[in-house]
Amino acid sequence: MSNGSSITQFLLLPFAATRELQLCHFWLFLGISLAALLGNGLIITSTACDQRLHTPMYFFLLNLSLLDLGCISTTVPKSMANSLWDARAISYAGCAAQLFFVLFFISAEYFLLTVMSYDRYVAICKPLHYETLLGSRACVHMAAAAWGSGFLTALLHTANTFSLPLCRGNAVEQFFCEIPQILKLSCSHSYLREVWLLVVASLIAVGCFVFIVGSYVQIFRAVLRMPSEQGRHKAFSTCLPHLAVLSVLLSTGIFAYLKPPSISSPSLDLVVSVLYSVVPPAVNPLIYSLRNQELKDAVRKLVNGWVSADTHCFLYPAKGFQCSI
């Protein structure tokens, strides 16, 4: 194969060689997908429907849930279908689209987490200026900037990666199309362009990380000076979930893209990719709702409303009650 244009499809890495393990993988990923859909769907619906959650923090959380749903919807369905049908193939265009959307959703999520750290900093360290600095227009602009930055990052890396000549086969040692695995198929020193782009992207990520760390240093200093134990607990309950989500995304993402080739192996790459692309969308709703009483109350109110409506519809079908679907 002289270049990428002669490749019509790629072969993704299967999770298992035996039929039984392939079906186990299918059911495992199906359960994770349903958990992510349910958790993020509840957060999106609760935030949109409950007037008490129409605040900047929950607006950004709604955007985070949308990005999580997009991320897991990009990688998991194709992997599940391949396991179910005992297949490995993905088209050239499908691979490029998958790589673009994975980069888009993950990059946008990281930029959004940076914005969320600023939201927590203003809320705790400058509460009197909160409504001024984080009005509805400012929140929309910051969320749009996060989505737009993710889009540009994904577009740049995808265009550059798939402009490289590929002559080392079409077997991708990953369950979805990923930049490091595509670069391994390149037969040209032009791949160094993408390496430099990854370095630049890493420097931007480090800059965001420094901003986040600086924000939280100020936040923790302000929290520890609070005289009220209840106030400290409330502040920590909104900050610690954000730090947990950020830590998982950042540590696994950096390891996946910048680890030394000497410690790379298909099984290790597989585990790390699952940790940064599949697990976070499923566990983020749990992390954010575990210590957040307002969100738990809103979700409980939403679920109780659905149950009450369905029960009413079941008990009094002749009264023309509008049933929920």
Side-chain angles (χ1 to χ4, degrees):
M1 298 178 186
S2 60
N3 54 46
S5 62
S6 61
I7 296 178
T8 59
Q9 65 177 15
F10 293 93
L11 299 178
L12 299 177
L13 182 69
F15 265 87
T18 65
R19 188 60 183 156
E20 292 77 11
L21 291 178
Q22 286 177 340
L23 292 176
C24 286
H25 160 247
F26 170 81
W27 289 111
L28 175 62
F29 267 30
L30 178 62
I32 293 175
S33 299
L34 292 176
L37 180 62
L38 177 62
N40 288 290
L42 284 174
I43 287 180
I44 292 169
T45 309
S46 300
T47 305
C49 296
D50 197 318
Q51 291 289 334
R52 295 173 301 172
L53 301 186
H54 289 182
T55 64
M57 184 180 77
Y58 292 107
F59 170 73
F60 294 133
L61 183 57
L62 182 148
N63 279 266
L64 184 68
S65 293
L66 290 173
L67 290 170
D68 279 338
L69 285 179
C71 184
I72 200 168
S73 299
T74 302
T75 58
V76 170
K78 180 61 178 176
S79 181
M80 289 171 56
N82 282 353
S83 289
L84 185 62
W85 303 113
D86 192 19
R88 294 180 57 189
I90 183 172
S91 68
Y92 186 91
C95 184
Q98 192 178 61
L99 187 145
F100 170 81
F101 282 110
V102 167
L103 285 174
F104 169 47
F105 289 122
I106 291 179
S107 300
E109 182 164 331
Y110 183 63
F111 290 126
L112 185 66
L113 288 170
T114 305
V115 170
M116 292 173 74
S117 71
Y118 175 71
D119 166 69
R120 291 298 84 208
Y121 165 75
V122 175
I124 294 173
C125 299
K126 299 180 181 294
L128 298 180
H129 302 283
Y130 188 65
E131 292 186 1
T132 304
L133 295 176
L134 284 159
S136 58
R137 179 173 296 182
C139 290
V140 170
H141 287 169
M142 285 188 282
W147 285 78
S149 299
F151 178 83
L152 292 176
T153 300
L155 185 63
L156 182 63
H157 284 287
T158 303
N160 190 64
T161 300
F162 281 90
S163 68
L164 301 175
L166 307 176
C167 63
R168 296 179 180 173
N170 64 342
V172 178
E173 295 182 352
Q174 189 54 270
F175 75 98
F176 65 92
C177 291
E178 189 182 45
I179 288 179
Q181 306 305 326
I182 301 295
L183 293 182
K184 290 180 181 180
L185 305 179
S186 174
C187 54
S188 167
H189 290 295
S190 299
Y191 77 90
L192 292 175
R193 291 180 308 176
E194 179 58 28
V195 172
W196 279 111
L197 280 177
L198 288 174
V199 171
V200 172
S202 300
L203 292 176
I204 295 174
V206 169
C208 292
F209 181 72
V210 171
F211 177 83
I212 292 169
V213 170
S215 298
Y216 272 99
V217 168
Q218 297 298 320
I219 287 171
F220 288 138
R221 288 176 59 185
V223 169
L224 293 176
R225 289 199 298 264
M226 289 181 178
S228 168
E229 183 177 349
Q230 184 179 2
R232 289 196 298 269
H233 179 269
K234 183 176 181 180
F236 279 126
S237 69
T238 60
C239 293
L240 293 181
H242 176 260
L243 280 178
V245 171
L246 180 67
S247 300
V248 172
L249 179 67
L250 196 60
S251 58
T252 54
I254 288 177
F255 186 79
Y257 281 83
L258 298 179
K259 65 181 180 299
S262 58
I263 64 172
S264 180
S265 68
S267 57
L268 179 62
D269 293 343
L270 200 64
V271 171
V272 172
S273 295
V274 169
L275 287 177
Y276 84 80
S277 66
V278 177
V279 174
V283 301
N284 283 356
L286 180 63
I287 292 173
Y288 272 102
S289 62
L290 199 60
R291 294 170 59 89
N292 191 317
Q293 192 60 44
E294 285 182 334
L295 186 57
K296 285 192 288 188
D297 290 343
V299 171
R300 189 179 299 113
K301 178 182 177 182
L302 180 68
V303 173
N304 289 340
W306 286 343
V307 172
S308 175
D310 288 339
T311 303
H312 212 341
C313 180
F314 177 76
L315 293 177
Y316 307 104
K319 293 188 176 182
F321 188 81
Q322 183 67 38
C323 303
S324 63
I325 298 176

